[in-house]
Amino acid sequence: MKITVDTDLCEVHGDCVVAAPDIFDIGEDDDVVQILNAEPGEEYRAAIVQATKMCPVAAIKIEG
Amino acid sequence: MTTTTAPELRIFDYDTYAEGDPATFGLPLEQYRYLRDEEPCFQQEFDDPMLIDKAWVVSRNEDIWEVDRNTELYAADRGYVNIWQVVPIDPKNGGMPAMLTTDGERHRAQRQVLAKGFTPGFVRKLEGKFRQYAKDVVDDALDKGTFNFVHTIAHNMPMEALGDVLGVPPEDRVKFFGWVDKFAAPFDTRITASFDEVMEAIGNLMVYSEELAELKRREPGDDVMTRLVASGEGGEPLMSPEEIMGNVALLASGAAESTRTAMSHGMHELMRNEKAMAWMREHQDNLPPTVIQEMVRIASPFTHLVRTATRDHELHGKQIKEGDIVAMLFAAGNFDERAFDRPEEFQPDRIENPHVSFGRGPHKCLGQHVAALEMKILFEELFQRTSSIEPAGPISYVRDAYSRGVYELPVTVTPR
Ligand code: HEM
Ligand code: SF4
């Protein structure tokens, strides 16, 4: 599974950080979300699907 | 057919909420069900000079997600915020532009200026300060023993916490949030005696916001107001003077009253629901986020917001025309059995909770993480320091169909 975020869309709502804190983070000076682990294992799938659904601007994509 | 028939619908009538049934969270759940099942795109007409003329009302959870997210078809920048004619952040009707009444690039730009003061990471840093406020508020409550929860706890905690986040000096907080209370409840004469008071409060807030902007330019701090008045790399201000005023009004009105409302409805439900109360006691050392989101769901602090259709289209068989107003009835979407397991139950451990109390699209509440943290800390402190929290009289609600304030919630606490 590979994760990408469309940084033109991301508005740092932070919903993905709440849904999948091991995968997404927003540091103090970040203008867009940071992906901590772009190719995580299957055990994270549920959390990441949730993050994708929750993102208010549909910026997150999952491949595979 | 269902139990409610169309002519009895009073979903935008302030007395419906003022006289709400405490057993259904003060909400007209039967009317909402009728709408979702029978009239998912309902034409509501109004006959009141203070209100808009008409709106299409969407009430299903899924439709609210769609309207809120599809800003290309449902615009926020073409006038009106809710069913009221006058809102201080509506630039099309005499107000100032703010994030919530702007779309596209300019919305993104404004959000970018402020977002860093609201991310989950930034908010976590506020925890220590919030704990101190919670402690002070609970000290005061324990001293009193019996008190109005809305005032003693739910008013004072957000006032101090938000004062910090926004950067309102402590000595100005009472007057600052006092103005907001007036224009947040324009139809409840116990709070706002006349509409002149509403206009006066808006005027005072606007004047004050300019003074505050001046103060922050002189003495910047690590707060939202300082971000609002900051300049970009070229030395140009990031926000126009109108946007500064509009966003101060938005932050002030979006923040304190809503959080107070969520806390109060949450507290009320816990006192009527033994199972939930016991669950809170079990988890009082570290409240899971599920219970906070569940309180925000059943509270539905803002019943609705509106958008404007940008072109003709059809929805559930109804012909919506360009320029028509579409209302997202959040409170109905929060009880949709298409989206929730047993929505009429308060479930503190609810995992699947697609509630729309904070919205779901690009305008999704900027303060959601601040509000959640305030509530978590406040309830932890209150529960840890009491052995019982009991009702000391009936709940009563603010007379309003937009913001679902609690007017009085008498409570008795016993210290541990
Ligand atoms: C339980 C408490 C709260 C509730 C229920 C709430 C609810 C909402 C809702 C429904 C929206 C509009 C969402 C949409 O149109 O999709 C919103 C937007 C907003 N809220 Fe909140 N809010 C709360 C607390 C706060 C706090 C504490 C702050 C600030 C510290 C805040 C600041 C804002 C701002 C600035 C916006 C506009 C965002 C934009 O247009 O991009 N809110 N809120
Ligand atoms: S939820 Fe979406 S907009 Fe928010 S930080 Fe994550 S990717 Fe960005």
Side-chain angles (χ1 to χ4, degrees), chain B residues 71-355:
Chain B
T71 53
E72 189 244 322
L73 184 55
Y74 302 103
D77 63 355
R78 297 199 182 185
Y80 304 108
V81 173
N82 54 14
I83 59 170
W84 300 345
Q85 281 285 354
V86 177
V87 177
I89 59 165
D90 179 1
K92 294 276 193 273
N93 293 289
M96 299 290 166
M99 268 171 283
L100 191 52
T101 47
T102 313
D103 281 322
E105 269 314 303
R106 200 56 220 152
H107 172 254
R108 213 178 125 76
Q110 293 183 58
R111 219 163 146 129
Q112 204 102 55
V113 172
L114 294 187
K116 285 181 193 163
F118 289 97
T119 58
F122 184 85
V123 168
R124 234 175 285 126
K125 292 197 313 195
L126 302 169
E127 193 163 336
K129 270 198 154 168
F130 284 13
R131 286 238 179 252
Q132 188 56 48
Y133 293 131
K135 209 175 152 304
D136 294 346
V137 164
V138 173
D139 282 345
D140 180 32
L142 290 174
D143 276 349
K144 288 183 173 142
T146 297
F147 51 88
N148 179 1
F149 181 89
V150 183
H151 196 264
T152 300
I153 292 189
H155 179 91
N156 290 343
M157 170 77 190
M159 180 171 81
E160 299 300 349
L162 291 166
D164 268 349
V165 174
L166 301 183
V168 180
E171 63 276 16
D172 294 343
R173 289 176 189 172
V174 169
K175 77 174 178 195
F176 182 81
F177 291 108
W179 294 321
V180 176
D181 285 346
K182 293 228 175 267
F183 70 75
F187 300 106
D188 192 323
T189 48
R190 292 168 302 181
I191 299 166
T192 310
S194 70
F195 201 70
D196 290 342
E197 279 191 15
V198 176
M199 298 311 283
E200 197 186 308
I202 294 175
N204 283 336
L205 184 73
M206 293 297 179
V207 171
Y208 178 76
S209 75
E210 288 193 303
E211 286 170 23
L212 189 56
E214 208 31 64
L215 174 76
K216 294 296 166 180
R217 286 188 197 101
R218 276 199 321 270
E219 298 171 28
D222 192 8
D223 53 51
V224 167
M225 226 47 97
T226 300
R227 288 175 199 273
L228 266 177
V229 300
S231 298
E233 275 160 24
E236 283 290 300
L238 295 170
M239 296 234 192
S240 69
E242 292 76 23
E243 285 172 345
I244 292 174
M245 279 196 266
N247 282 308
V248 171
L250 168 66
L251 285 160
S253 56
E257 212 249 341
S258 55
T259 313
R260 183 197 321 160
T261 299
M263 288 176 178
S264 302
H265 285 286
M267 187 70 248
H268 173 252
E269 180 56 22
L270 292 174
M271 292 190 297
R272 342 176 16 254
N273 183 329
E274 250 173 63
K275 249 172 75 186
M277 187 64 112
W279 187 95
M280 285 292 279
R281 288 275 170 220
E282 264 166 53
H283 293 86
Q284 66 190 25
D285 291 336
N286 184 9
L287 289 178
T290 50
V291 66
I292 306 300
Q293 295 305 319
E294 183 70 343
M295 287 184 185
V296 174
R297 178 180 77 91
I298 59 105
S300 305
F302 301 112
T303 58
H304 71 283
L305 287 175
V306 308
R307 301 289 195 256
T308 307
T310 60
R311 56 186 143 79
D312 296 359
H313 66 286
E314 193 181 305
L315 185 64
H316 295 299
K318 302 290 168 74
Q319 303 302 321
I320 297 180
K321 294 263 177 285
E322 178 180 352
D324 282 359
I325 292 183
V326 178
M328 302 178 277
L329 191 55
F330 298 136
N334 281 339
F335 292 87
D336 186 349
E337 43 294 285
R338 294 163 191 79
F340 299 92
D341 168 44
R342 285 172 293 161
E344 291 172 20
E345 274 175 27
F346 180 87
Q347 297 177 8
D349 52 356
R350 190 185 286 282
I351 304 250
E352 264 305 303
N353 190 351
H355 75 72

